[in-house]
Amino acid sequence: MSDYRIRGATGEWEVVIGLEVHAQVTSNAKLFSGAATAFGAEPNTQVSLVDAAMPGMLPVPNRECIRQAVRTGIAIDAQINRWSRFDRKNYFYADLPQGYQISQLYHPLVGEGHLDVSPDEKNPEAVKRIGIERIHVEQDAGKLMHDQHPTRSYVDLNRSGVALMEIVSRPDMRSPAEAGAYLNKLRSILRYVGSCDGNMDQGSMRADVNVSVRKPGEPFGTRTETKNVNSVRFVMQAIEHEAKRQVAVLEDGGAIVQETRLFNPDTGQTRSMRSKEDAHDYRYFPDPDLLPLELNEAFIEECRASLPELPDAKRHRYEAAGISPYQAGVLTAEVEAARWFDALLDAGAAPVAAANWTTSELFGALNRTGRDIADSPVAPAQAAELLALVADGTLSGSLAKQVFEVMLEAGDAPAKIVEDRGLKQTSDTGAIEAVIAEVLAKNPNQLEQYRGGKEALFGFFVGQTMKAMGGKANPAVVNDLLKKALAG
């Protein structure tokens, strides 16, 4: 799929990429306590005794967190393990009150699945399958705040105990573009499912980026892990920098050290943080306070039945209605846009015309005004009314643009704008013929050239006629009458 290579002095190098995505589960309470999970609260105001690791406090699994992880697994065609178990991952850090993290190493909730991605925007039908090894559920740590005092760090435990899904890919990606496409697709699915809001800038979705390089056909090289990268663009930058850095080290006779690194978005570079731990360094063992999770078929089927139409299925439905693969991809990339477009179709808009208008006029206007589609000043029903006025000949394309601009500002219904401002398109042949006669009389040189064989001037006459009629003439009628007049 990808021809991405790093060219060095000794030849081409292939990049091997795997991603570990930490996605915060959408739930009102934490994984093992009833404390709130809302973003933006004052430090240490959403902390239960369990989160603070007070003696004698026992964890109790939150059913909704398990349900959301299972729904996510079903959405990526993954194996749902009927029996899974929580383990303790032991390490010391100031924002980890227990001295261990409750996670799943040996028996995760979700097994192998996959995502099909389209790394090339110009060729959306070219698909690559990225394997997903597992999804396990774990609790998040707290947060250290270093910028409040010159000599101290403060601990905020609001995030401590929040449920995370760690979604671990296979090392199947071979370019920054493939990694970006994978992350975008995964975030889209999480948002459709409703299991994570995907807000990387708020930290509710972040990626650990595993990168190694090798000569094509050789075994995998030693990988590094760049931790907690919080945007798709930064992930792609981190991969590019880290791959080039590793090639430079190897071609200089050095060796790649298995280590954890950090990405600096200001410089676009990675730097060493610490040597990479292996599983045995964490002394994993089954958590003695938690029974294994055992899922029955009724629970799994309830999770399956609760899923909405997912991006791929929606895209195929749009394509079957005649919408181009590129537009179908644009319309289904974000769940809010897809819901808005479905409402437009439900209001009676023709699919192809609706797709053309939405991806050009509406998305263009939203980008220009800095709005999200959820804040669109034009509702789907209003847009359907506007498109219907174009379809029945009441409005030309140029008049529809004028009406749309008024809708954006005033929020009025299209029919009211047409009536109030006299923007209705005319098909009055007598009026159009009179204007055409005036245009021909005013442009004798062009008329002579056209009749002498310069047929490209036809567009000039169309433009002059439309301009003289304030854009209100029916273009099809203008073309018809002009051909007759010019032939005479």
Side-chain angles (χ1 to χ4, degrees), residues 34 37 52 60 107 111 125 144 165 176 186 216 229 238 248 309 378 395 412 419 462 473:
T37 59
V60 177
H107 300 281
E125 294 175 299
L144 283 176
M165 295 178 286
L186 180 60
V229 186
E309 183 182 38
V378 176
L395 292 176
D412 290 340
E419 186 66 31
V462 171

Side-chain angles (χ1 to χ4, degrees), residues 146-165:
H146 305 292
D147 56 354
Q148 309 295 312
H149 192 280
T151 60
R152 299 176 187 169
S153 289
Y154 292 88
V155 179
D156 177 11
L157 293 181
N158 279 350
R159 207 168 65 188
S160 177
V162 166
L164 298 177
M165 295 178 286

Side-chain angles (χ1 to χ4, degrees), residues 19-24 101 138-142 159 162 164-167 183 186 196 198-209 227-231 235:
L19 296 177
E20 299 169 18
V21 174
H22 298 263
Q24 181 175 320
Q101 177 188 35
E138 63 186 18
Q139 58 180 175
D140 205 351
R159 207 168 65 188
V162 166
L164 298 177
M165 295 178 286
E166 182 165 343
I167 305 164
L183 266 181
L186 180 60
C196 174
N199 293 334
M200 298 186 79
D201 56 335
Q202 294 179 359
S204 55
M205 179 175 162
R206 51 196 190 269
D208 296 343
V209 185
K227 295 286 287 186
N228 291 331
V229 186
N230 67 349
S231 88
V235 165

